[in-house]
């Protein structure tokens, strides 16, 4: 007897076993959900396919969220195989590496466009394609970070992209609430993942996060997975359009 028995959904954003999306996938599967996965490119397919198969996934499909045709083809495949779906997890972000260290005003027009396209617009495009397939009671969750709401050193253009993502969650929730579809974000504290390993001095950022967290420690992929399970399940049937902090939101001050 699982919270997600009989439910089917899609997970975007697994790159390897450290990915937040992988922590989410394991929790959803343990609760009885049937999962479909996407991978960005051929080299990531080699990592994602065995992980997905270990959770009994049959649908393991390519999707570069920068390409509308990839997103459309993905949902066409889901419709063919399943007809309807119950949930989507969006755990995708990207900015140019240099844009996450130089002064924010140095951000180029193209760097700004890229970060907002991959990290924020993709949530809108994925949601639009998911909605026609979603059962009433459907739920969509994306991953954000505190740098949307406050200035976090070096987060830079990603903070602006996450602010757009969080506002998009509120507008999508308001539009889709009448159809019984909920949309929420989880704002996770710093976790050492592939994306994080591309950040200069990430160890230091983790340490500061631990100091400022009410729990006085980093959170885990597993803990993000459990919070996502709640938001995708009927336990949160009255909850939509919200940013849910998993780490206490840096609320401890000196
Ligand atoms: P990760 O590197 O494991 O995951 C990022 C994923 O984005 C990868 O699977 C990558 O393939 C995918 N991606 C990048 N560009 C893409 C594209 N064009 N099309 C499709 N997929 C693309 O790192 P993660 O830390 O698990 O990141 C997942 C999400 O969690 C991101 O939205 C990130 O901003 C967010 N987040 C991370 C942390 C952290 O400290 N690690 C904290 C809060 C929020
Ligand atoms: O959202 C993120 C990071 C997302 C990310 C990471 C990379 C590294 C490799 C986006 N684009 C890229 N591009 C690359 O080339 N996080 C929430 C993790 C993160 O990043 C930070 C953080 C935290 C936490 C950057 C500065 C300060 C804190």
């Amino acid at each position: 007897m699982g919270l997600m028995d009989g439910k089917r959904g899609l997970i975007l954003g697994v790159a390897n076993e450290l990915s937040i999306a992988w922590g989410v996938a394991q929790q959803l599967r343990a609760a009885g959900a049937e999962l479909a996965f996407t991978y960005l490119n051929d080299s990531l397919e080699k990592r994602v396919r065995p992980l997905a198969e270990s959770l009994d996934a049959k649908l393991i499909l390519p999707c570069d969220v920068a390409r509308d045709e990839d997103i459309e083809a993905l949902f066409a495949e889901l419709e063919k195989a399943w007809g309807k779906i119950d949930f989507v997890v969006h755990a995708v972000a990207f900015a140019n590496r240099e844009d996450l260290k130089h002064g924010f005003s140095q951000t180029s027009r193209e760097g700004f466009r890229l970060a907002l396209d991959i990290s924020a617009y993709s949530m809108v495009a994925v949601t639009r394609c998911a909605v026609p397939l979603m059962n009433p009671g459907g739920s969509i969750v994306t991953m954000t970070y505190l740098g949307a709401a406050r200035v976090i050193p070096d987060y830079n253009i990603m903070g602006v992209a996450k602010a757009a993502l969080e506002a998009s969650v509120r507008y999508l929730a308001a539009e889709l609430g009448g159809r019984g579809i909920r949309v929420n974000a989880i704002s996770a504290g710093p976790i050492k993942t592939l994306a994080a390993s591309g950040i200069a001095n990430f160890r230091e950022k983790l340490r500061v996060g631990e100091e400022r967290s009410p729990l006085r420690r980093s959170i885990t992929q597993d803990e993000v997975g459990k919070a996502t399970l709640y938001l995708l399940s009927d336990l949160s049937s009255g909850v939509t359009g919200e940013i849910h902090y998993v780490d206490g939101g840096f609320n401890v001050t000196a």
Side-chain angles (χ1 to χ4, degrees), residues 13-15 19-20 40 63-65 91-93 143-144 162 188 190-191 193 195:
V14 177
S19 293
I20 290 176
L40 173 56
C63 184
D64 178 344
V65 298
V92 169
M143 298 298 156
T144 186
K162 292 299 194 189
I191 302 180
T193 61

Side-chain angles (χ1 to χ4, degrees), residues 139 173 181-184 230-231 235-242 244:
S139 177
I181 298 171
R182 299 181 296 107
V183 185
N184 288 280
Y230 155 74
L231 289 172
L235 289 179
S236 61
S237 60
V239 179
T240 193
E242 297 282 359
H244 304 261

Side-chain angles (χ1 to χ4, degrees), residues 96-102 107-108 111-112 154 156-157:
N96 288 322
R97 187 184 292 250
E98 315 78 70
D99 288 342
L100 302 176
K101 48 182 185 229
H102 59 47
T107 310
S108 66
F112 189 107
D154 304 328
N156 294 356
I157 188 56

Side-chain angles (χ1 to χ4, degrees), residues 94-95 97 100 145 152-155 158 190 195 198-199 202 205:
F94 190 77
R97 187 184 292 250
L100 302 176
Y145 178 59
I152 302 289
D154 304 328
Y155 200 59
M158 274 307 306
I199 306 295
F202 193 75
K205 298 181 191 311

Side-chain angles (χ1 to χ4, degrees), residues 222-233:
D222 211 55
E223 288 172 325
V224 176
K226 290 188 286 183
T228 306
L229 171 60
Y230 155 74
L231 289 172
L232 295 180
S233 79

